[in-house]
Amino acid sequence: MKAIRWPGLITFLAIVGGLTLFIVVFIDGLVRVGLSAGLSRVNGAEVNIASVDLNWSPFSVTLQELQITDPEVPELNRFAAEELRAEVMFWDLFIGRVHITDLRANGITFGSERAQAGRVRATERDGEDAMDWRDRLAQFDIQLPGVEEVLGRADIRTPALSAEAEERFEARERAFRRVREELPSTSKVEDYQKRFEALSESRPRTPQELNRAREQFRELQRGMRDDRERVNAFLEVSREGARGTQEDIEALRNAYQHDLDRARALFSADQGSLTELTGILFGAQVQQWAEYGFMVFDFIAPLLQSAQEDQEQPSRWAGRFIDFDRNNRPTFLVENAELSLGLEVGDIRMQIRDLTWQHAILGRPSTFELSSADSPWWRALRLDGDLFIGAEGSISGGQRWALEQARLDDLALVEQRQFSAALQRAVLNSQGELRIDGGALRGQGRLLFTEAAFATGGEASWARYFEQALQGIQRFDIDLGVRGELARPRLSLQSDLDNQLASIMNRMVREEADLRLASVRTELNETTQRLQGELQPWLERAQAIQSQATDYESKLTELLRVEFDELIRGDSDRLLNRIRTRVGG
Amino acid sequence: MLTMLARLLKALNSETSPWALAFGLALGMILGFTPLWSLHNLVVLFVVLTFRVNLSFFLLAFALSSVLAFALDPLFDYVGERLLTAEALLPIWYALYEVPLARLAQFNHTITLGSLVVSLVLFVPVLLLTRWIVQNYRTKVRARVNQLYIVQLVKGTKFWGAYERVSGWKGRFSS
């Protein structure tokens, strides 16, 4: 029996040859699929590569149209590159080591829109509490109410109170008129006096005359008593009416003042809403600048960290590669990367050295540097920093930036139907620093705008306030604060622009509010003046009549106090004098 | 499936060397247990196709071992991890790390090394045991089995037709 099976050997060679041919023909596609899957796992969301080209000497991989989905916003790419070429140490790939000696990427963009939303691993999407400046805009409203709206919406008391007071006044006046008609006339009171005097001087001599005089005296007393009751009834109604009217007038005055205060409050702008103008105007733009600025920390560091976790906690069904490198090199290292960032302001080149997540092994941090001078857009831009991922996965590092004389033209700040604003031109200088320790971000920077000119528009009623206010502002600065976690930086903006805008807008709003308040005041005035014009003269007249009635009452009371015997039998002169003195006759 | 089973019976009942059957089973086990796209599997395939190893037993062992490997991967990972991190073996691993062929073999991957070592450890026992079973089957069991009523019944079925057809083949790979 022959030991070797020749047909089998030929089959083996055919299989090996076929496999080799298959790999040679389809290697690009296989690498594309493998890279897409591996990067998607590290990224936590779909990664697309249009095509892959392999070059064998030196071994390099060129990726066309690389798109890395943002796991938090799957409609956007967190990173995209038109072309990415990496020179890789070939043999290292077989032992699970990725050693890229040179990496070049062109047409890099951040936050670009995807043709369709990328698939995201379920664990990657969690609650997003990032600040949305557009929400602030939606909340922003310094619209002033109209006069009718103020009178209708607010708790305005004057008109209702006027109507009630008028109604009460009419009732009082009717009652007053009724009791006034019952009042004895002046001549009648004088007639009582004369009859009283006549009676005291009558000197009755006979019992008949005495009886007649007594009868006349009683009759006189009855008449005076009746009239005094009428006078008292009048006084009671009159006093009550005067007091009520006085109270109504007072209440009307108070209501008028209250209503004016209330209207003034309604017309005043919401001071709180004027403190976030910088955020509304520049929030989205600064956030975009920050995304560019913090690219290394915001994108590369989390990606490296994720890759590190992926490598250090492999599945027991997938196994892991163990490193036996005598030189103790990192298992992932990009020695040198030259990136061309396709920003709105043009292409910027960035250099990264020693990109890895195994800085503890490498013994030095990754460094990155971006420098651009005398571009059409700015006089100078410098950005540099370092990044160190510790063995336990903690990230630390720093970044500094300095931008000199950047020219901004037609920079859209807010573009919404209700309000739009653009920075037509400005010169921007900025510098700042960002530190990260154990994943916690801390940093601050300053943006100084000079020679600024704004353009605004929009349907919102308050848009014109902005238009007028921004016309007067040519110079302002924004202090940028950065806090929070690495993957979720939180920006805060503070600016003297807020103060400038708030001051100008407050003044404008106040002026307009004063105008509208004057209308409200006029309207309330009309109501109160008309009523007071009726009440006050009536009150004065009622008080005059009341004074007269009081006089009547005292005269009648005095006369009624005299007894018949005292009038006839006593010292008539003394009595008469006394009566004259009392009643003023 | 029936044809496959028929081939197995044919190989078992033929004059094929028990070693050929045993090697088929042991090598199939290596291919099944270890990651398919490994360099050593090219060697296994070369041996299987070039030398007189029974292909039916090889394919059966490959299929069964592949299924088993899904459950055994954590064990292979554990063995590979222990071996690759054993102090005494480190010089070997460091030396191999510098050899391109060893890199191609991905010896430093825990499951690759663990499954290969487990397969190699089991190789000789599986080889000897299979040969012993085949020999004993042919000398002691086969005659009795043929006399069983159930076997007689089976001989009248469609399956037996397939077996007969295979028996009639003079295929070059069947020996």
Side-chain angles (χ1 to χ4, degrees), chain A residues 57-356:
Chain A
S57 181
F59 184 74
S60 66
V61 184
T62 304
L63 312 181
Q64 303 288 345
E65 293 180 33
L66 170 68
Q67 294 186 39
I68 298 178
T69 303
D70 187 338
E72 291 174 355
V73 191
E75 294 77 18
L76 301 179
N77 288 315
R78 65 174 7 178
F79 175 92
E82 289 173 8
E83 186 183 82
L84 188 145
R85 182 177 180 276
E87 280 187 21
V88 189
M89 296 183 87
F90 181 73
W91 291 108
D92 282 2
L93 289 175
F94 291 97
I95 47 176
R97 174 192 294 282
V98 178
H99 189 152
I100 299 171
T101 51
D102 191 55
L103 185 145
R104 286 169 197 276
N106 297 317
I108 292 175
T109 53
F110 300 94
S112 58
E113 204 162 327
R114 292 177 57 84
Q116 60 183 42
R119 286 188 299 278
V120 179
R121 288 166 71 182
T123 52
E124 293 298 325
R125 299 197 77 175
D126 53 4
E128 175 59 51
D129 58 352
M131 185 184 295
D132 191 341
W133 299 105
R134 282 168 298 190
D135 290 346
R136 303 292 173 90
L137 180 61
Q139 291 162 7
F140 186 80
D141 190 3
I142 53 170
Q143 188 173 5
L144 291 179
V147 176
E148 294 76 17
E149 196 184 343
V150 168
L151 293 177
R153 180 159 59 103
D155 178 26
I156 296 290
R157 300 175 186 168
T158 305
L161 209 60
S162 294
E164 287 170 18
E166 201 161 9
E167 202 173 307
R168 281 197 296 272
F169 171 69
E170 281 171 8
R172 277 189 213 113
E173 205 197 10
R174 274 198 302 275
F176 181 82
R177 206 179 295 130
R178 182 172 44 78
V179 290
R180 193 193 161 194
E181 283 168 5
E182 302 286 320
L183 267 184
S185 62
T186 308
S187 58
K188 194 175 182 185
V189 175
E190 285 171 357
D191 182 56
Y192 282 135
Q193 251 181 294
K194 284 175 186 166
R195 285 169 66 188
F196 212 88
E197 284 173 18
L199 199 61
S200 70
E201 288 169 0
S202 63
R203 308 282 184 200
R205 300 185 195 283
T206 63
Q208 287 80 9
E209 286 177 352
L210 187 65
N211 280 340
R212 199 162 44 247
R214 190 186 305 275
E215 200 57 42
Q216 285 173 350
F217 180 78
R218 282 181 186 152
E219 190 184 341
L220 187 61
Q221 267 196 324
R222 271 200 299 276
M224 284 196 299
R225 220 174 261 123
D226 289 347
D227 279 336
R228 193 179 67 168
E229 278 175 19
R230 290 189 193 96
V231 168
N232 281 334
F234 168 79
L235 281 174
E236 193 179 336
V237 170
S238 168
R239 281 180 187 138
E240 184 63 28
R243 191 177 52 77
T245 306
Q246 193 72 47
E247 281 175 5
D248 280 351
I249 290 173
E250 194 62 32
L252 211 55
R253 280 187 190 136
N254 290 339
Y256 171 74
Q257 194 55 48
H258 165 271
D259 290 350
L260 277 183
D261 292 343
R262 175 84 180 145
R264 194 173 286 119
L266 281 172
F267 280 132
S268 66
D270 177 9
Q271 299 294 317
S273 67
L274 295 177
T275 61
E276 292 185 343
L277 297 173
T278 304
I280 289 170
L281 283 176
F282 286 92
Q285 185 61 58
V286 171
Q287 206 156 7
Q288 190 183 356
W289 288 340
E291 278 172 18
Y292 292 145
F294 304 156
M295 178 192 73
V296 173
F297 293 126
D298 193 33
F299 168 63
I300 296 178
L303 208 61
L304 290 175
Q305 203 174 27
S306 169
Q308 181 191 36
E309 288 166 6
D310 202 49
Q311 194 189 49
E312 290 183 354
Q313 296 169 341
S315 159
R316 294 190 69 80
W317 272 269
R320 71 176 182 115
F321 286 97
I322 295 179
D323 191 40
F324 295 104
D325 184 41
R326 289 183 197 278
N327 299 319
N328 202 24
R329 293 169 300 166
T331 52
F332 176 86
L333 177 66
V334 179
E335 287 182 9
N336 179 50
E338 302 271 353
L339 310 177
S340 173
L341 312 180
L343 305 184
E344 283 175 9
V345 292
D347 283 355
I348 301 176
R349 301 200 78 76
M350 184 177 193
Q351 186 173 45
I352 302 177
R353 291 185 189 280
D354 299 324
L355 187 61
T356 181

Side-chain angles (χ1 to χ4, degrees), chain A residues 1-5 8-9 12 19 91-92 94-95 97 316-326, chain B residues 37 42 46 48-53 70 74 77-78 81 84 94-95 97 103-104 106 108-111:
Chain A
M1 192 171 70
K2 292 175 184 175
I4 295 178
R5 194 158 48 187
L9 181 58
F12 172 75
L19 271 177
W91 291 108
D92 282 2
F94 291 97
I95 47 176
R97 174 192 294 282
R316 294 190 69 80
W317 272 269
R320 71 176 182 115
F321 286 97
I322 295 179
D323 191 40
F324 295 104
D325 184 41
R326 289 183 197 278
Chain B
W37 301 104
L42 210 59
F46 171 78
V48 168
L49 292 174
T50 306
F51 300 100
R52 297 195 175 276
V53 175
F70 282 108
D77 180 63
Y78 174 77
E81 183 88 27
L84 288 168
Y94 276 107
Y97 202 75
R103 292 186 174 195
L104 271 176
Q106 297 191 321
N108 62 331
H109 188 253
T110 51
I111 287 183

Side-chain angles (χ1 to χ4, degrees), chain B residues 1-9 56 59-60 63-64 158-160 162-163 165-166:
Chain B
M1 189 65 195
L2 283 175
T3 309
M4 190 66 193
L5 198 58
R7 282 184 183 181
L8 284 173
L9 284 174
S56 299
L59 291 174
L60 174 74
L64 291 176
K158 187 181 172 187
F159 164 73
W160 193 250
Y163 171 69
R165 279 200 305 279
V166 173

Side-chain angles (χ1 to χ4, degrees), chain A residues 363-379:
Chain A
R364 56 180 182 272
S366 300
T367 58
F368 51 94
E369 190 179 335
L370 183 153
S371 182
S372 167
D374 291 329
S375 91
W377 306 94
W378 47 64
R379 184 187 291 166

Side-chain angles (χ1 to χ4, degrees), chain A residues 144 505-516:
Chain A
L144 291 179
M505 289 179 73
N506 259 334
R507 197 181 63 233
M508 289 190 307
V509 169
R510 204 165 44 242
E511 284 169 6
E512 183 148 342
D514 283 348
L515 279 176
R516 298 196 190 185

